[in-house]
mmCIF file with all atom_site columns, all heavy atoms in Angstrom:
data_model
loop_
_atom_site.group_PDB
_atom_site.id
_atom_site.type_symbol
_atom_site.label_atom_id
_atom_site.label_alt_id
_atom_site.label_comp_id
_atom_site.label_asym_id
_atom_site.label_entity_id
_atom_site.label_seq_id
_atom_site.pdbx_PDB_ins_code
_atom_site.Cartn_x
_atom_site.Cartn_y
_atom_site.Cartn_z
_atom_site.occupancy
_atom_site.B_iso_or_equiv
_atom_site.pdbx_formal_charge
_atom_site.auth_seq_id
_atom_site.auth_comp_id
_atom_site.auth_asym_id
_atom_site.auth_atom_id
_atom_site.pdbx_PDB_model_num
ATOM 1   N N   . LEU A 1 174 ? 6.838  -54.286 26.945 1.00 0.00 ? 192 LEU A N   1
ATOM 2   C CA  . LEU A 1 174 ? 6.379  -54.173 25.536 1.00 0.00 ? 192 LEU A CA  1
ATOM 3   C C   . LEU A 1 174 ? 5.851  -55.394 24.996 1.00 0.00 ? 192 LEU A C   1
ATOM 4   O O   . LEU A 1 174 ? 6.388  -56.478 25.231 1.00 0.00 ? 192 LEU A O   1
ATOM 5   C CB  . LEU A 1 174 ? 7.632  -53.717 24.673 1.00 0.00 ? 192 LEU A CB  1
ATOM 6   C CG  . LEU A 1 174 ? 8.364  -52.451 25.189 1.00 0.00 ? 192 LEU A CG  1
ATOM 7   C CD1 . LEU A 1 174 ? 9.682  -52.365 24.426 1.00 0.00 ? 192 LEU A CD1 1
ATOM 8   C CD2 . LEU A 1 174 ? 7.489  -51.232 25.137 1.00 0.00 ? 192 LEU A CD2 1
ATOM 9   N N   . ALA A 1 175 ? 4.797  -55.275 24.168 1.00 0.00 ? 193 ALA A N   1
ATOM 10  C CA  . ALA A 1 175 ? 4.142  -56.467 23.617 1.00 0.00 ? 193 ALA A CA  1
ATOM 11  C C   . ALA A 1 175 ? 3.639  -56.086 22.203 1.00 0.00 ? 193 ALA A C   1
ATOM 12  O O   . ALA A 1 175 ? 3.342  -54.989 21.916 1.00 0.00 ? 193 ALA A O   1
ATOM 13  C CB  . ALA A 1 175 ? 3.076  -56.989 24.440 1.00 0.00 ? 193 ALA A CB  1
ATOM 14  N N   . ALA A 1 176 ? 3.582  -57.099 21.317 1.00 0.00 ? 194 ALA A N   1
ATOM 15  C CA  . ALA A 1 176 ? 3.156  -56.894 19.906 1.00 0.00 ? 194 ALA A CA  1
ATOM 16  C C   . ALA A 1 176 ? 2.601  -58.165 19.344 1.00 0.00 ? 194 ALA A C   1
ATOM 17  O O   . ALA A 1 176 ? 3.131  -59.218 19.706 1.00 0.00 ? 194 ALA A O   1
ATOM 18  C CB  . ALA A 1 176 ? 4.341  -56.367 19.064 1.00 0.00 ? 194 ALA A CB  1
ATOM 19  N N   . PHE A 1 177 ? 1.557  -57.991 18.536 1.00 0.00 ? 195 PHE A N   1
ATOM 20  C CA  . PHE A 1 177 ? 1.045  -59.199 17.778 1.00 0.00 ? 195 PHE A CA  1
ATOM 21  C C   . PHE A 1 177 ? 2.055  -59.614 16.722 1.00 0.00 ? 195 PHE A C   1
ATOM 22  O O   . PHE A 1 177 ? 2.727  -58.762 16.187 1.00 0.00 ? 195 PHE A O   1
ATOM 23  C CB  . PHE A 1 177 ? -0.214 -58.907 17.031 1.00 0.00 ? 195 PHE A CB  1
ATOM 24  C CG  . PHE A 1 177 ? -1.406 -58.708 18.052 1.00 0.00 ? 195 PHE A CG  1
ATOM 25  C CD1 . PHE A 1 177 ? -1.959 -57.467 18.230 1.00 0.00 ? 195 PHE A CD1 1
ATOM 26  C CD2 . PHE A 1 177 ? -1.940 -59.682 18.721 1.00 0.00 ? 195 PHE A CD2 1
ATOM 27  C CE1 . PHE A 1 177 ? -3.056 -57.272 19.158 1.00 0.00 ? 195 PHE A CE1 1
ATOM 28  C CE2 . PHE A 1 177 ? -2.983 -59.648 19.603 1.00 0.00 ? 195 PHE A CE2 1
ATOM 29  C CZ  . PHE A 1 177 ? -3.573 -58.409 19.798 1.00 0.00 ? 195 PHE A CZ  1
ATOM 30  N N   . CYS A 1 178 ? 2.314  -60.890 16.589 1.00 0.00 ? 196 CYS A N   1
ATOM 31  C CA  . CYS A 1 178 ? 3.277  -61.352 15.655 1.00 0.00 ? 196 CYS A CA  1
ATOM 32  C C   . CYS A 1 178 ? 2.607  -61.506 14.207 1.00 0.00 ? 196 CYS A C   1
ATOM 33  O O   . CYS A 1 178 ? 1.676  -62.128 13.960 1.00 0.00 ? 196 CYS A O   1
ATOM 34  C CB  . CYS A 1 178 ? 3.591  -62.802 16.075 1.00 0.00 ? 196 CYS A CB  1
ATOM 35  S SG  . CYS A 1 178 ? 4.998  -63.514 15.141 1.00 0.00 ? 196 CYS A SG  1
ATOM 36  N N   . PRO A 1 179 ? 3.188  -60.676 13.259 1.00 0.00 ? 197 PRO A N   1
ATOM 37  C CA  . PRO A 1 179 ? 2.553  -60.621 11.945 1.00 0.00 ? 197 PRO A CA  1
ATOM 38  C C   . PRO A 1 179 ? 2.675  -61.923 11.168 1.00 0.00 ? 197 PRO A C   1
ATOM 39  O O   . PRO A 1 179 ? 1.831  -62.212 10.310 1.00 0.00 ? 197 PRO A O   1
ATOM 40  C CB  . PRO A 1 179 ? 3.374  -59.529 11.235 1.00 0.00 ? 197 PRO A CB  1
ATOM 41  C CG  . PRO A 1 179 ? 4.083  -58.796 12.287 1.00 0.00 ? 197 PRO A CG  1
ATOM 42  C CD  . PRO A 1 179 ? 4.261  -59.696 13.340 1.00 0.00 ? 197 PRO A CD  1
ATOM 43  N N   . TRP A 1 180 ? 3.713  -62.667 11.290 1.00 0.00 ? 198 TRP A N   1
ATOM 44  C CA  . TRP A 1 180 ? 3.984  -63.888 10.553 1.00 0.00 ? 198 TRP A CA  1
ATOM 45  C C   . TRP A 1 180 ? 3.531  -65.166 11.316 1.00 0.00 ? 198 TRP A C   1
ATOM 46  O O   . TRP A 1 180 ? 3.633  -66.256 10.776 1.00 0.00 ? 198 TRP A O   1
ATOM 47  C CB  . TRP A 1 180 ? 5.417  -64.076 10.185 1.00 0.00 ? 198 TRP A CB  1
ATOM 48  C CG  . TRP A 1 180 ? 6.310  -64.120 11.403 1.00 0.00 ? 198 TRP A CG  1
ATOM 49  C CD1 . TRP A 1 180 ? 6.706  -65.196 12.080 1.00 0.00 ? 198 TRP A CD1 1
ATOM 50  C CD2 . TRP A 1 180 ? 7.019  -63.096 12.133 1.00 0.00 ? 198 TRP A CD2 1
ATOM 51  N NE1 . TRP A 1 180 ? 7.459  -64.983 13.217 1.00 0.00 ? 198 TRP A NE1 1
ATOM 52  C CE2 . TRP A 1 180 ? 7.743  -63.656 13.104 1.00 0.00 ? 198 TRP A CE2 1
ATOM 53  C CE3 . TRP A 1 180 ? 7.201  -61.601 11.850 1.00 0.00 ? 198 TRP A CE3 1
ATOM 54  C CZ2 . TRP A 1 180 ? 8.542  -62.878 14.059 1.00 0.00 ? 198 TRP A CZ2 1
ATOM 55  C CZ3 . TRP A 1 180 ? 7.872  -60.918 12.773 1.00 0.00 ? 198 TRP A CZ3 1
ATOM 56  C CH2 . TRP A 1 180 ? 8.586  -61.520 13.753 1.00 0.00 ? 198 TRP A CH2 1
ATOM 57  N N   . GLU A 1 181 ? 2.915  -65.060 12.482 1.00 0.00 ? 199 GLU A N   1
ATOM 58  C CA  . GLU A 1 181 ? 2.442  -66.238 13.293 1.00 0.00 ? 199 GLU A CA  1
ATOM 59  C C   . GLU A 1 181 ? 1.251  -65.812 13.916 1.00 0.00 ? 199 GLU A C   1
ATOM 60  O O   . GLU A 1 181 ? 1.213  -65.233 15.087 1.00 0.00 ? 199 GLU A O   1
ATOM 61  C CB  . GLU A 1 181 ? 3.531  -66.566 14.277 1.00 0.00 ? 199 GLU A CB  1
ATOM 62  C CG  . GLU A 1 181 ? 3.306  -68.092 14.775 1.00 0.00 ? 199 GLU A CG  1
ATOM 63  C CD  . GLU A 1 181 ? 4.468  -68.567 15.558 1.00 0.00 ? 199 GLU A CD  1
ATOM 64  O OE1 . GLU A 1 181 ? 5.515  -67.877 15.629 1.00 0.00 ? 199 GLU A OE1 1
ATOM 65  O OE2 . GLU A 1 181 ? 4.369  -69.673 16.193 1.00 0.00 ? 199 GLU A OE2 1
ATOM 66  N N   . HIS A 1 182 ? 0.077  -65.877 13.333 1.00 0.00 ? 200 HIS A N   1
ATOM 67  C CA  . HIS A 1 182 ? -1.166 -65.322 13.692 1.00 0.00 ? 200 HIS A CA  1
ATOM 68  C C   . HIS A 1 182 ? -1.618 -66.080 15.017 1.00 0.00 ? 200 HIS A C   1
ATOM 69  O O   . HIS A 1 182 ? -1.417 -67.317 15.259 1.00 0.00 ? 200 HIS A O   1
ATOM 70  C CB  . HIS A 1 182 ? -2.326 -65.534 12.660 1.00 0.00 ? 200 HIS A CB  1
ATOM 71  C CG  . HIS A 1 182 ? -2.032 -64.715 11.459 1.00 0.00 ? 200 HIS A CG  1
ATOM 72  N ND1 . HIS A 1 182 ? -1.631 -63.379 11.521 1.00 0.00 ? 200 HIS A ND1 1
ATOM 73  C CD2 . HIS A 1 182 ? -2.079 -65.079 10.103 1.00 0.00 ? 200 HIS A CD2 1
ATOM 74  C CE1 . HIS A 1 182 ? -1.464 -63.026 10.264 1.00 0.00 ? 200 HIS A CE1 1
ATOM 75  N NE2 . HIS A 1 182 ? -1.679 -63.933 9.352  1.00 0.00 ? 200 HIS A NE2 1
ATOM 76  N N   . GLY A 1 183 ? -2.275 -65.333 15.921 1.00 0.00 ? 201 GLY A N   1
ATOM 77  C CA  . GLY A 1 183 ? -2.654 -65.819 17.203 1.00 0.00 ? 201 GLY A CA  1
ATOM 78  C C   . GLY A 1 183 ? -1.588 -65.888 18.185 1.00 0.00 ? 201 GLY A C   1
ATOM 79  O O   . GLY A 1 183 ? -1.724 -66.539 19.263 1.00 0.00 ? 201 GLY A O   1
ATOM 80  N N   . VAL A 1 184 ? -0.422 -65.192 17.892 1.00 0.00 ? 202 VAL A N   1
ATOM 81  C CA  . VAL A 1 184 ? 0.715  -65.256 18.816 1.00 0.00 ? 202 VAL A CA  1
ATOM 82  C C   . VAL A 1 184 ? 1.172  -63.832 19.062 1.00 0.00 ? 202 VAL A C   1
ATOM 83  O O   . VAL A 1 184 ? 1.063  -62.933 18.211 1.00 0.00 ? 202 VAL A O   1
ATOM 84  C CB  . VAL A 1 184 ? 1.971  -66.008 18.197 1.00 0.00 ? 202 VAL A CB  1
ATOM 85  C CG1 . VAL A 1 184 ? 3.161  -65.810 19.025 1.00 0.00 ? 202 VAL A CG1 1
ATOM 86  C CG2 . VAL A 1 184 ? 1.584  -67.503 18.041 1.00 0.00 ? 202 VAL A CG2 1
ATOM 87  N N   . LEU A 1 185 ? 1.615  -63.442 20.365 1.00 0.00 ? 203 LEU A N   1
ATOM 88  C CA  . LEU A 1 185 ? 2.089  -62.202 20.601 1.00 0.00 ? 203 LEU A CA  1
ATOM 89  C C   . LEU A 1 185 ? 3.518  -62.331 21.134 1.00 0.00 ? 203 LEU A C   1
ATOM 90  O O   . LEU A 1 185 ? 3.826  -63.419 21.811 1.00 0.00 ? 203 LEU A O   1
ATOM 91  C CB  . LEU A 1 185 ? 1.197  -61.388 21.508 1.00 0.00 ? 203 LEU A CB  1
ATOM 92  C CG  . LEU A 1 185 ? 0.879  -61.888 22.926 1.00 0.00 ? 203 LEU A CG  1
ATOM 93  C CD1 . LEU A 1 185 ? 1.873  -61.478 23.963 1.00 0.00 ? 203 LEU A CD1 1
ATOM 94  C CD2 . LEU A 1 185 ? -0.522 -61.379 23.404 1.00 0.00 ? 203 LEU A CD2 1
ATOM 95  N N   . VAL A 1 186 ? 4.239  -61.350 21.022 1.00 0.00 ? 204 VAL A N   1
ATOM 96  C CA  . VAL A 1 186 ? 5.647  -61.348 21.619 1.00 0.00 ? 204 VAL A CA  1
ATOM 97  C C   . VAL A 1 186 ? 5.780  -60.332 22.672 1.00 0.00 ? 204 VAL A C   1
ATOM 98  O O   . VAL A 1 186 ? 5.121  -59.195 22.573 1.00 0.00 ? 204 VAL A O   1
ATOM 99  C CB  . VAL A 1 186 ? 6.707  -60.952 20.394 1.00 0.00 ? 204 VAL A CB  1
ATOM 100 C CG1 . VAL A 1 186 ? 8.050  -60.933 21.027 1.00 0.00 ? 204 VAL A CG1 1
ATOM 101 C CG2 . VAL A 1 186 ? 6.559  -61.889 19.294 1.00 0.00 ? 204 VAL A CG2 1
#
Side-chain angles (χ1 to χ4, degrees):
L192 305 171
F195 290 109
C196 189
W198 61 84
E199 196 170 354
H200 297 311
V202 172
L203 63 84
V204 179

